[in-house]
Amino acid sequence: MKKFEEKTIETKPVYDGKVISLRVDTVKLPDGNTSKRELIKHPGAVAIIPITKEGKIIFVEQYRKALEKSIVEIPAGKLELGEAPEVTAVRELEEETGYTAKQLNKLGSFYTSPGFADELLHLYEAVELELLTETVAGDDDEFVELMELTLEEAEALVKEERIHDAKTMYALLYLRLKHASN
Amino acid sequence: MKKFEEKTIETKPVYDGKVISLRVDTVKLPDGNTSKRELIKHPGAVAIIPITKEGKIIFVEQYRKALEKSIVEIPAGKLELGEAPEVTAVRELEEETGYTAKQLNKLGSFYTSPGFADELLHLYEAVELELLTETVAGDDDEFVELMELTLEEAEALVKEERIHDAKTMYALLYLRLKHASN
């Protein structure tokens, strides 16, 4: 859909980094006036809800420099250039948790911040987990600690704001709804 | 929590815009090595789930330049400097929908993209809506079209990817769970 389309009059690249890039577009609005749009390009990401055979969910705690604190999230990672999201999902699950999944169910996808960024996040549920016998090397600048929690334990961390990000809170609602439907 | 804290060695401001700013930090990792972090500062935002007396949900369709398409979302907007989220929520509801709410329930908050941005989104449910007799002027560079939909109609738009952002999909799961619990 292109309703209320904002046509680009001018585009100014500002920054091109290792993860994101920033440009500022001058746009023509539907009423003929102009405005500026500050826009972040992001490669896209995956997030995985790993469910153990005991029915627990595997989370990772990691430091988020943007927030200057560590939070507890479901495993996630950025897409490599040209990589299919399913491939990223398997890789990130193995790197971050040490488990692989016999079954990966796609739950959907969403834009995380459509007001300024094009990051699209693909969400999966990973079941029938098997512990890998060898560890898989991940990014050498990522430090994570694993936590296996019940849904109730995870919901308690939401109240403490230790779980506090969109994808993880979406995942918990999804699991709560699944329980309610069973 | 400061687990795996990444201490800032150097911070380089790159861009300071009307909505977001970008800086690149050089950080010291827990293992003593260094890395770069590309970080977006954002003022924070609110989103509102407006429920009409007929039980329909009010959505807005708007063009998202970052995606180069229009999508259907719950009403939302950025915090003004120093503004309490509840005040932003009432203002954005009035500006975008022409309704005001007798009751505003806070549902929680979440970081939309903690990997690179500090945007914190506060989510509210607005009930007992009253149509305003005068229109409230909003941002003059925002063009939105209102849609009143049932939950089922909105869920159909998720399948068509016309609803495709984190806050709106979270809102639909929340409403679906609420229905399931009643």
Side-chain angles (χ1 to χ4, degrees):
Chain A
M1 300 287 283
K2 294 275 185 184
K3 189 174 284 179
F4 305 128
E5 183 172 0
E6 300 177 349
K7 299 249 188 209
T8 307
I9 296 172
E10 194 196 341
T11 187
K12 200 182 87 182
V14 173
Y15 177 80
D16 190 18
K18 64 174 181 171
V19 179
I20 58 176
S21 65
L22 168 65
R23 71 177 204 273
V24 179
D25 281 7
T26 305
V27 298
K28 188 170 181 178
L29 300 171
D31 65 0
N33 289 324
T34 60
S35 191
K36 302 271 185 191
R37 299 289 182 224
E38 299 159 357
L39 304 165
I40 298 291
K41 267 200 100 62
H42 183 283
V46 301
I48 310 107
I49 310 175
I51 311 285
T52 69
K53 286 175 180 161
E54 295 75 31
K56 290 195 174 186
I57 312 144
I58 305 178
F59 297 88
V60 295
E61 181 162 15
Q62 70 184 116
Y63 195 77
R64 291 304 201 173
K65 187 65 184 169
L67 317 180
E68 292 291 13
K69 65 179 176 184
S70 54
I71 58 172
V72 176
E73 302 170 53
I74 54 172
K78 291 177 294 289
L79 298 185
E80 303 283 349
L81 191 68
E83 192 177 43
E86 290 73 19
V87 176
T88 317
V90 171
R91 179 169 56 73
E92 290 290 340
L93 177 68
E94 295 183 355
E95 285 178 7
E96 293 201 349
T97 70
Y99 281 97
T100 194
K102 281 196 182 167
Q103 200 189 323
L104 200 66
N105 306 322
K106 176 136 196 195
L107 301 182
S109 65
F110 47 70
Y111 292 102
T112 55
S113 294
F116 67 96
D118 71 347
E119 184 190 24
L120 181 63
L121 187 132
H122 304 268
L123 185 64
Y124 296 88
E125 183 177 40
V127 293
E128 299 189 43
L129 300 184
E130 301 282 350
L131 203 55
L132 293 167
T133 48
E134 285 178 46
T135 53
V136 180
D139 292 336
D140 58 9
D141 67 347
E142 277 190 4
F143 295 82
V144 305
E145 186 168 285
L146 295 184
M147 300 170 78
E148 293 192 12
L149 303 174
T150 63
L151 180 54
E152 290 72 22
E153 287 166 344
E155 287 169 340
L157 291 192
V158 173
K159 290 209 173 67
E160 296 174 23
E161 296 190 344
R162 286 183 64 201
I163 288 179
H164 204 189
D165 74 299
K167 66 180 174 306
T168 307
M169 288 172 63
Y170 182 92
L172 297 186
L173 274 194
Y174 163 79
L175 292 173
R176 176 51 64 196
L177 185 59
K178 199 173 163 183
H179 282 219
S181 319
N182 284 342
Chain B
M1 300 286 285
K2 294 274 186 185
K3 188 175 283 179
F4 305 128
E5 183 172 359
E6 300 177 347
K7 299 251 189 209
T8 307
I9 296 171
E10 194 196 341
T11 186
K12 199 181 87 181
V14 174
Y15 176 80
D16 190 18
K18 64 174 180 171
V19 179
I20 58 175
S21 65
L22 168 64
R23 71 178 205 271
V24 179
D25 281 7
T26 306
V27 299
K28 189 171 182 177
L29 300 171
D31 65 0
N33 289 323
T34 60
S35 191
K36 302 271 187 192
R37 299 288 181 227
E38 299 159 357
L39 303 165
I40 298 291
K41 267 199 102 62
H42 184 282
V46 300
I48 309 107
I49 311 175
I51 312 285
T52 69
K53 286 176 181 161
E54 295 74 31
K56 291 197 172 183
I57 313 144
I58 305 178
F59 297 89
V60 294
E61 180 162 16
Q62 70 185 118
Y63 195 77
R64 291 303 200 174
K65 187 65 185 171
L67 317 180
E68 292 291 12
K69 65 179 175 185
S70 54
I71 57 173
V72 176
E73 303 168 55
I74 54 172
K78 291 177 292 292
L79 299 185
E80 303 285 348
L81 190 68
E83 191 177 43
E86 289 73 20
V87 175
T88 317
V90 171
R91 180 171 53 75
E92 290 290 340
L93 177 68
E94 295 183 356
E95 285 177 8
E96 294 200 348
T97 71
Y99 281 98
T100 193
K102 281 196 184 167
Q103 200 188 326
L104 200 66
N105 306 322
K106 176 136 195 194
L107 301 181
S109 65
F110 47 69
Y111 292 104
T112 55
S113 294
F116 67 94
D118 71 346
E119 184 190 23
L120 181 63
L121 187 132
H122 305 267
L123 185 64
Y124 297 87
E125 184 177 40
V127 293
E128 298 190 45
L129 300 185
E130 302 281 350
L131 202 56
L132 294 167
T133 48
E134 285 179 46
T135 53
V136 180
D139 292 335
D140 58 10
D141 67 347
E142 278 189 3
F143 296 81
V144 305
E145 186 166 285
L146 296 184
M147 300 169 77
E148 292 192 12
L149 302 174
T150 63
L151 180 54
E152 290 70 23
E153 287 167 343
E155 287 169 340
L157 292 192
V158 173
K159 290 210 173 68
E160 295 174 23
E161 297 189 342
R162 286 183 64 199
I163 288 179
H164 204 191
D165 73 300
K167 65 180 176 305
T168 307
M169 288 173 65
Y170 182 93
L172 297 186
L173 274 193
Y174 163 79
L175 293 173
R176 177 51 64 194
L177 185 58
K178 199 173 163 182
H179 282 218
S181 320
N182 285 344

